[in-house]
Amino acid sequence: MAIQIPRGTQDILPGEVEKWQFIEAAARDLCKKYQYKEIRTPIFEHTELFQKGVGDTTDIVQKEMYSFDDRGGRSLTLRPEGTASVVRSYTENKMFGNPSQPVKLFYNGPMFRYERPQAGRFRQFVQFGVEALGSQDPAIDAEVISLAMELYSRLGLKHLKLVINSLGDKDSRIAHRNALINHFKPSIGEFCSDCQNRLEKNPLRILDCKKDRDHELMKSAPSILDYLNSESKEYFDQVLVYLQELGIEYEVDPTLVRGLDYYNHTAFEIMSNAEGFGAITTLCGGGRYNGLVQEMGGPETPGIGFALSIERLLAALTVEGITLPFEDEIDCYIVALGNEAKHKAMIMLQQLRKEGFSAEKDYLDRKMKAQFKAADRMKSKYVAILGEDELEKGITNLKNMETGEQVEISLVDFINEFKRICK
Ligand code: HAM
């Protein structure tokens, strides 16, 4: 039997890949406008990076990592997300010393999680993400959120909902943590074994449990917003004021905790509320992670970012019926008949391509009609016909495929004539 693609992965074929290129170009362009610079980190890292960064009690680290020992016996892991790697690189390359601060970075690349594949959930998926390190200004929280919203809106998405919460600073989190332990402890036997393990280690994770999400104690769990100290509350309020000023609508959801351990203060998700979208509606997730750089061995540095997968973005575009306006036409197709014409056509192709035109010819010795069909399929703007008659006269018949108009142009001056007509 032929070997098949691994579960949870996909081939992105020509015809589909243009959509990816379009989205990636839009994201890059937006990052330029917002002044986020690209960073490329390795696809695999030391396993410890994610254990420490993403957190030992998270589903990602406990159940979803692709970890393996290399031939030198080191445990490596295919990156499940980008933030830990960016923070490692920031620290390792001492970017905290860069003259330009805050350090604003973006990335776009494959991530790997051993999850149960379903619509919108892959084992290899591509995340576009940004991270802003070195500023604790609520304005940068609003900037990061506005960048994500702007990307979606540029691509035409309308049915979006921004959900936001604050997880507070360390003191607020400790107070909330104790309240959660007191809340869940008496009935923890009714929860799954993961939640039982999480009770003392990281009770916030219980709120993120997929198995026990309908347990009645979930709904009545103490809300973090009641435990925010005055600085945390003030910070959150400032973020919300900035969002209002930028005209970005939001919904505060005190149950939003996110699935990674490094967050504090702002946490947010952007969901699709388009009708017909599948069960997984989160398109983008992010938040602030003020302690992470220090945990990775760097100086105390605040940070915030988000990541979104292109797969879910594409799904949202499909549900909203949006077609991306990418170009898939070519400038010129050369219909060549006979051996001499084939040789001449190769030279003309080279001239066209050197001048920046997209051009193609037949390579299957097809008849004139079939070559015209191929030109049509490629949506060629012009067809240059090169048969025996044309060669004898030293010309080519150039046909404008939109108007049907045809002109004779001299082969000697082909490229200049083509450029003139094309203008
Ligand atoms: P995350 O919520 O784990 O956060 O993932 C962010 C986004 O990645 C999700 O909202 C979704 O679009 C996409 N995603 C996650 N898992 C899958 C999957 N299995 N298949 C398809 N798409 C998926 C993070 O990864 C954080 N690093 C975000 C962040 C950056 N926080 C601060 N900076």
Side-chain angles (χ1 to χ4, degrees):
M1 201 172 79
I3 297 170
Q4 291 184 336
I5 196 169
R7 238 164 86 74
T9 68
Q10 57 176 345
D11 296 316
I12 303 157
L13 305 180
E16 190 63 22
V17 83
E18 290 79 2
K19 297 181 190 166
W20 288 71
Q21 290 165 345
F22 187 90
I23 292 169
E24 286 164 358
R28 258 167 224 286
D29 180 62
L30 204 57
C31 284
K32 180 129 204 326
K33 306 242 151 55
Y34 279 70
Q35 276 301 292
Y36 284 72
K37 303 272 163 68
E38 184 171 5
I39 180 167
R40 298 187 187 192
T41 60
I43 301 283
F44 59 83
E45 297 267 4
H46 291 295
T47 300
E48 201 193 344
L49 176 77
F50 303 113
Q51 289 169 337
K52 242 176 132 173
V54 175
D56 265 335
T57 54
T58 59
D59 274 355
I60 293 182
V61 170
Q62 286 189 343
K63 303 176 189 165
E64 296 170 4
M65 294 209 300
Y66 280 93
S67 300
F68 58 97
D69 286 346
D70 74 2
R71 287 172 191 273
R74 298 168 204 91
S75 177
L76 298 171
T77 294
L78 299 184
R79 60 184 187 192
E81 59 104 52
T83 312
S85 303
V86 168
V87 168
R88 180 208 41 76
S89 175
Y90 172 89
T91 307
E92 197 165 338
N93 292 290
K94 301 191 172 51
M95 289 188 229
F96 41 81
N98 283 8
S100 158
Q101 294 290 337
V103 173
K104 304 206 294 185
L105 304 165
F106 83 87
Y107 50 89
N108 183 66
M111 307 292 162
F112 307 84
R113 295 185 193 176
Y114 190 79
E115 294 194 87
R116 200 166 55 81
Q118 53 184 296
R121 183 166 283 155
F122 296 86
R123 289 185 172 165
Q124 174 175 332
F125 55 98
V126 173
Q127 271 189 350
F128 162 72
V130 313
E131 312 292 347
L133 291 128
S135 166
Q136 176 127 245
D137 185 337
I140 204 105
D141 300 43
E143 176 179 275
V144 161
I145 293 171
S146 80
L147 198 162
M149 295 298 279
E150 183 62 22
L151 177 63
Y152 288 134
S153 103
R154 272 193 188 196
L155 295 171
L157 289 177
K158 294 202 169 57
H159 299 278
L160 298 172
K161 187 168 85 173
L162 167 66
V163 182
I164 190 164
N165 188 22
S166 171
L167 302 174
D169 63 5
K170 212 171 168 191
D171 289 344
S172 313
R173 291 187 64 159
I174 291 172
H176 183 230
R177 182 195 143 90
N178 293 337
L180 285 172
I181 295 177
N182 291 338
H183 178 77
F184 286 114
K185 205 170 190 170
S187 316
I188 195 67
E190 295 165 21
F191 285 77
C192 71
S193 58
D194 282 341
C195 284
Q196 294 183 15
N197 288 329
R198 286 161 175 163
L199 182 70
E200 297 293 338
K201 280 194 202 148
N202 191 353
L204 198 66
R205 282 274 74 80
I206 297 178
L207 301 179
D208 199 33
C209 178
K210 287 167 195 138
K211 280 193 210 138
D212 292 321
R213 84 174 116 206
D214 295 327
H215 194 288
E216 60 178 29
L217 281 186
M218 290 291 205
K219 283 178 214 93
S220 55
S223 160
I224 178 69
L225 294 182
D226 294 330
Y227 291 84
L228 294 185
N229 56 20
S230 55
E231 294 88 40
S232 300
K233 197 172 172 330
E234 168 68 15
Y235 192 89
F236 190 40
D237 287 344
Q238 282 300 311
V239 175
L240 299 183
V241 166
Y242 274 116
L243 290 177
Q244 286 154 23
E245 285 170 353
L246 295 179
I248 298 173
E249 285 178 28
Y250 58 81
E251 189 184 298
V252 175
D253 179 357
T255 65
L256 179 80
V257 294
R258 308 271 305 119
L260 304 93
D261 272 354
Y262 44 64
Y263 293 113
N264 40 54
H265 290 288
T266 315
F268 66 94
E269 287 185 353
I270 301 170
M271 344 274 280
S272 167
N273 54 13
E275 214 174 292
F277 205 78
I280 300 170
T281 54
T282 306
L283 302 181
C284 168
R288 190 161 265 290
Y289 46 86
N290 288 350
L292 192 57
V293 177
Q294 207 174 12
E295 208 164 308
M296 296 290 167
E300 205 181 323
T301 311
I304 178 159
F306 73 74
L308 59 88
S309 71
I310 313 289
E311 287 81 354
R312 288 194 195 167
L313 201 174
L314 282 166
L317 290 171
T318 305
V319 168
E320 292 201 26
I322 297 164
T323 359
L324 298 174
F326 57 82
E327 278 184 22
D328 60 350
E329 47 193 26
I330 68 166
D331 295 312
C332 188
Y333 188 98
I334 303 172
V335 168
L337 298 159
N339 201 36
E340 198 185 336
K342 273 166 66 178
H343 281 266
K344 189 76 199 147
M346 280 303 281
I347 297 167
M348 288 159 71
L349 272 188
Q350 190 189 43
Q351 290 174 335
L352 285 163
R353 290 166 177 169
K354 265 191 202 283
E355 288 297 324
F357 296 107
S358 49
E360 188 55 294
K361 72 179 272 298
D362 170 73
Y363 293 100
L364 297 172
D365 283 331
R366 279 179 288 205
K367 302 230 162 64
M368 168 111 100
K369 203 171 158 197
Q371 292 194 34
F372 261 101
K373 259 199 183 154
D376 265 342
R377 218 176 294 121
M378 290 183 187
K379 300 187 196 138
S380 191
K381 291 182 211 157
Y382 290 90
V383 167
I385 307 155
L386 213 52
E388 266 176 36
D389 285 356
E390 281 85 1
L391 281 180
E392 225 164 75
K393 286 160 76 182
I395 56 116
T396 177
N397 272 304
L398 188 69
K399 184 171 181 186
N400 180 325
M401 296 298 277
E402 201 185 302
T403 61
E405 204 183 317
Q406 194 165 303
V407 285
E408 275 188 10
I409 58 177
S410 145
L411 282 178
V412 182
D413 209 22
F414 167 70
I415 192 64
N416 290 325
E417 284 293 299
F418 186 84
K419 273 159 68 180
R420 191 182 54 78
I421 292 168
C422 246
K423 261 196 195 146

